[in-house]
Amino acid sequence: MARRRPSDVVISESASVSSASSSPERAVYDDTDFFTAQRNDSQSSIGVASFRDMTMSPALEREHRISPISRLPPELLITVFTKLSSTLDLKNCMLVSKTWSRNSVDLLWHRPLCNTWKNLLNVVASVRKPDGYFPYFDLVKRLNLSNLSDQISDGTVQPFVQCKRIERLTLTGCVKLTDHGVMALVMGNICLLALDITGLDSITDHTLFTVAANCIRLQGLNITDCSKVTDESLVAVAENCRYIKRLKLNNCSLITDESISAFAYNCPSMLEIDLHKCREITNASITALIFRGCHLRELRLAHCHRITDNAFLELPDHLSYESLRILDLTACHQLHDDAIEKIIESSPRLRNLVLAKCKEITDRSVLAITKLGKNLHYIHLGHCAQITDTAVIQLVKMCNRIRYIDLACCHRLTDVSVKQLATLPKLRRIGLVKCQSITDRSILALAKASLEPRTKPLFPSLLERVHLSYCVHLTLQGIHALLNQCPKLTHLSLTGVQAFFLREDLITFCREAPPEFTEHQRNVFCVFSGEGVNRLRSYLNEDPGSIYDAESTMYDDRDGAEDGDAEGHVAGLMGATGLGIDDEDMDEEVDGSTYGGE
């Protein structure tokens, strides 16, 4: 029997019902408004086919009110918000919706900005607010008050006492703080991972006992210049806070082997320890630190005068400390070549080695250091006066990745050493202060400039900082070549170099001498930094002929200057500035550099 064909009306209705019930649902990320998404928008001026189509379930209505980005999971929203560097942008994100607010508030408050007194007051007001939209005191993870160090006191930090989820607490230089204020911040805070109270000289063992009792997850502790702290509290910290990785005890003069050994035996994860000027430290604790510190990367022992060769010679022969990268032995006067050879043997991957003022070491130590090969990037041998050209030449041949080398006061070195140093392809900083035998030949080698004027350097110089103070044989022509061939140069020290400090037209480009300098020291001070280097270079390039003529006239008119009087003249300069050959290098102090850095 033939099937009866349904009417047109039925066709239309069935089609409509079928479409409404079986069509795929619109994607949630579609930006098109729902009323423009109909199959046929000619039936209505607003694109709605019928009243039935206008009727939506509550669930569908709520769905269409939410923007696509608001449907992102919290993890993705937070990832997006972390890309915002401005706190103002994060604040605006908090005002968009409750969802955005919940996912951005942690980023805005985990490290509240307390760089001005006004900002600090705003933070305190929010933390204290009892009916705030969020518990802001629980959101603070990092608190740094060092920018207001001279204004922070025990009363200032009281509002933060309720912040018990702080992970990093930095109070550097807040000298008005006492045990009472710091203990209140630490008490009950089991989340604390890092504490920096550098320069708080009123802090005693009471604070560290509180740290030991509450902060068992502590990983970093910096008590530099806390001179009243003793072994008793540090032993408690070592025994209770066994996750410590970074420890700075600089200038804590009361500390002895007892506390350092406690850290060696109780904190197996130790990565860095700084014992600068802990003068009571002896061999026993240092041997324990190295022997048990299988993860130790950085060991700083500057001015620990009681350390001798045995601190290293007593290490087992069969062990190698592959993790050790930085070792600072500045002014450890009792170290000899035997100790250095043992250090190199035990730590074959050392990258930074500081032996400044280890005056007993000789070429034998330097030849041992050459075994580090390409691992060595930074070497400081200042005041190691027994080193000769032979050792330096071999060092350059074997360790061709050196970026920093300081040979200040190594008076046996000549142009031969510096010419070899000039071949280091990655050299960025060189210190030759008081190397009185070097001449313009050394400077031209550093500049990669040939004595033949039209020959171009083989590769551009990377030198950034050059220290040539009291190298009295240098001339203006040599320094001019250095300036022109080293485009990255940002620091040039020429204190005591007559070709410069006697020229009024040149010293106008150098920076001011430090206020603590004597009048004689000011008279010979000549250090160019930053823009001063660029201005000096530009000035010398304007009319070099006339500038050189002025230099020649100045030397011709000088009375009593004989070529054979160089050594006497150097001694006179040293006396005039109050510096002896064994004194601390004034130029390095002015430069603000620290031994062992990069």
Side-chain angles (χ1 to χ4, degrees):
M1 183 176 70
R3 206 168 37 173
R4 185 171 64 89
R5 183 176 179 177
S7 66
D8 291 343
V9 175
V10 175
I11 292 173
S12 175
E13 184 177 356
S14 66
S16 177
V17 172
S18 174
S19 176
S21 60
S22 62
S23 296
E25 190 175 338
R26 289 178 53 73
V28 295
Y29 52 80
D30 198 322
D31 289 332
T32 310
D33 293 329
F34 78 96
F35 55 80
T36 63
Q38 307 302 320
R39 298 180 306 279
N40 180 8
D41 60 2
S42 64
Q43 299 179 35
S44 169
S45 61
I46 62 171
V48 180
S50 64
F51 179 78
R52 178 177 58 80
D53 289 331
M54 295 179 61
T55 304
M56 300 178 59
S57 67
L60 189 61
E61 184 177 2
R62 285 195 300 271
E63 178 184 351
H64 283 287
R65 284 179 180 173
I66 299 175
S67 63
I69 194 170
S70 295
R71 300 188 189 109
L72 291 176
E75 294 83 359
L76 290 181
L77 273 178
I78 292 172
T79 301
V80 172
F81 294 151
T82 56
K83 305 299 181 183
L84 300 176
S85 57
S86 168
T87 55
L88 181 59
D89 290 340
L90 282 172
K91 179 182 177 182
N92 290 335
C93 287
M94 287 186 63
L95 301 177
V96 171
S97 66
K98 290 183 179 180
T99 302
W100 281 39
S101 183
R102 284 193 298 269
N103 291 300
S104 60
V105 66
D106 278 340
L107 297 173
L108 187 61
W109 271 89
H110 88 286
R111 184 171 54 190
L113 189 63
C114 299
N115 60 338
T116 66
W117 188 254
K118 180 180 178 181
N119 287 346
L120 178 62
L121 293 179
N122 290 335
V123 171
V124 168
S126 298
V127 168
R128 279 180 165 174
K129 190 177 296 184
D131 56 348
Y133 190 79
F134 294 101
Y136 296 108
F137 56 86
D138 266 347
L139 299 178
V140 179
K141 299 297 196 313
R142 299 185 181 184
L143 183 61
N144 187 342
L145 303 178
S146 58
N147 287 321
L148 300 172
S149 57
D150 57 336
Q151 303 177 63
I152 301 299
S153 63
D154 291 345
T156 310
V157 300
Q158 280 305 308
F160 296 103
V161 169
Q162 57 183 321
C163 301
K164 298 304 182 185
R165 300 183 65 184
I166 295 177
E167 297 176 355
R168 299 180 185 273
L169 180 59
T170 304
L171 303 170
T172 305
C174 300
V175 293
K176 295 180 181 179
L177 280 175
T178 66
D179 284 328
H180 177 75
V182 180
M183 288 169 61
L185 289 172
V186 171
M187 188 78 69
N189 187 349
I190 63 172
C191 298
L192 193 64
L193 299 177
L195 175 64
D196 188 343
I197 50 175
T198 298
L200 277 63
D201 55 2
S202 61
I203 295 299
T204 68
D205 286 337
H206 295 295
T207 293
L208 291 185
F209 278 126
T210 304
V211 171
N214 292 270
C215 309
I216 60 173
R217 297 172 58 193
L218 193 69
Q219 296 181 16
L221 178 63
N222 189 344
I223 58 170
T224 297
D225 294 326
C226 295
S227 55
K228 296 179 182 178
V229 173
T230 69
D231 286 335
E232 188 177 2
S233 62
L234 284 175
V235 169
V237 171
E239 292 176 348
N240 290 277
C241 308
R242 294 174 177 258
Y243 299 105
I244 285 186
K245 296 180 179 180
R246 293 173 176 84
L247 187 64
K248 285 185 175 289
L249 308 176
N250 306 20
N251 295 319
C252 294
S253 56
L254 301 180
I255 293 174
T256 70
D257 287 338
E258 181 183 1
S259 57
I260 303 306
S261 296
F263 283 109
Y265 285 94
N266 291 289
C267 303
S269 301
M270 187 72 73
L271 298 177
E272 303 171 8
I273 185 166
D274 193 339
L275 302 174
H276 179 86
K277 289 189 177 179
C278 294
R279 301 185 189 277
E280 299 302 317
I281 301 299
T282 66
N283 296 337
S285 59
I286 301 306
T287 303
L289 272 176
I290 300 175
F291 175 66
R292 301 187 66 87
C294 57
H295 302 294
L296 192 64
R297 293 190 312 214
E298 182 175 330
L299 179 60
R300 298 185 183 274
L301 305 171
H303 300 278
C304 294
H305 299 311
R306 299 182 64 182
I307 295 176
T308 69
D309 292 342
N310 287 336
F312 304 98
L313 295 178
E314 293 179 2
L315 291 170
D317 291 333
H318 62 284
L319 292 182
S320 180
Y321 306 96
E322 299 279 344
S323 298
L324 193 60
R325 295 290 188 275
I326 299 175
L327 180 61
D328 185 352
L329 298 170
T330 299
C332 293
H333 301 304
Q334 300 189 59
L335 295 183
H336 298 79
D337 292 332
D338 289 339
I340 306 305
E341 289 179 338
K342 180 64 176 180
I343 289 170
I344 302 303
E345 177 188 340
S346 301
S347 309
R349 301 187 66 183
L350 272 173
R351 186 185 68 210
N352 292 21
L353 180 60
V354 185
L355 299 173
K357 301 183 181 179
C358 294
K359 299 181 180 181
E360 300 299 323
I361 68 172
T362 67
D363 283 356
R364 183 176 149 202
S365 290
V366 180
L367 294 176
I369 293 170
T370 61
K371 296 178 182 178
L372 295 175
K374 294 181 179 181
N375 292 317
L376 187 64
H377 290 180
Y378 180 114
I379 179 72
H380 200 312
L381 298 169
H383 297 263
C384 298
Q386 300 186 55
I387 294 174
T388 68
D389 289 335
T390 302
V392 174
I393 292 171
Q394 193 64 22
L395 179 68
V396 173
K397 289 180 179 178
M398 301 299 293
C399 304
N400 61 0
R401 292 190 179 180
I402 292 175
R403 292 162 169 78
Y404 174 111
I405 187 165
D406 197 313
L407 298 165
C409 299
C410 295
H411 58 84
R412 296 189 180 186
L413 301 184
T414 67
D415 290 335
V416 175
S417 287
V418 184
K419 287 180 179 179
Q420 193 69 32
L421 289 167
T423 64
L424 289 170
K426 296 181 180 293
L427 189 64
R428 285 176 170 78
R429 178 172 174 176
I430 185 169
L432 298 169
V433 174
K434 301 178 190 173
C435 292
Q436 300 152 16
S437 298
I438 69 172
T439 68
D440 278 355
R441 292 183 179 274
S442 293
I443 306 307
L444 293 172
L446 288 174
K448 306 294 188 299
S450 171
L451 292 176
E452 298 178 7
R454 294 188 179 181
T455 304
K456 293 183 178 180
L458 297 177
F459 50 88
S461 172
L462 299 178
L463 278 173
E464 297 172 0
R465 304 174 73 87
V466 180
H467 305 266
L468 299 169
S469 294
Y470 299 103
C471 296
V472 294
H473 296 296
L474 304 184
T475 68
L476 185 57
Q477 288 90 336
I479 300 300
H480 190 186
L482 182 71
L483 287 166
N484 282 335
Q485 298 298 330
C486 301
K488 296 187 176 182
L489 197 65
T490 60
H491 182 96
L492 178 63
S493 64
L494 296 167
T495 296
V497 178
Q498 281 188 313
F500 278 81
F501 81 84
L502 293 178
R503 293 280 301 267
E504 292 291 338
D505 58 329
L506 301 181
I507 62 174
T508 56
F509 305 113
C510 78
R511 70 187 193 193
E512 291 292 328
E516 64 271 16
F517 274 22
T518 66
E519 182 180 355
H520 290 302
Q521 290 172 338
R522 289 175 177 275
N523 288 339
V524 297
F525 181 81
C526 191
V527 176
F528 304 90
S529 293
E531 190 58 31
V533 175
N534 296 329
R535 292 169 58 198
L536 176 64
R537 182 189 294 115
S538 298
Y539 175 75
L540 293 177
N541 287 335
E542 284 179 0
D543 189 5
S546 61
I547 295 174
Y548 293 157
D549 289 342
E551 180 189 29
S552 176
T553 303
M554 177 186 69
Y555 285 115
D556 289 343
D557 294 341
R558 191 179 60 214
D559 295 331
E562 301 291 340
D563 291 339
D565 294 339
E567 292 185 5
H569 177 63
V570 171
L573 278 177
M574 299 302 177
T577 57
L579 292 172
I581 199 67
D582 295 328
D583 292 327
E584 180 68 32
D585 176 22
M586 178 181 69
D587 184 67
E588 286 295 330
E589 290 181 351
V590 172
D591 185 38
S593 60
T594 55
Y595 297 144
E598 279 207 270

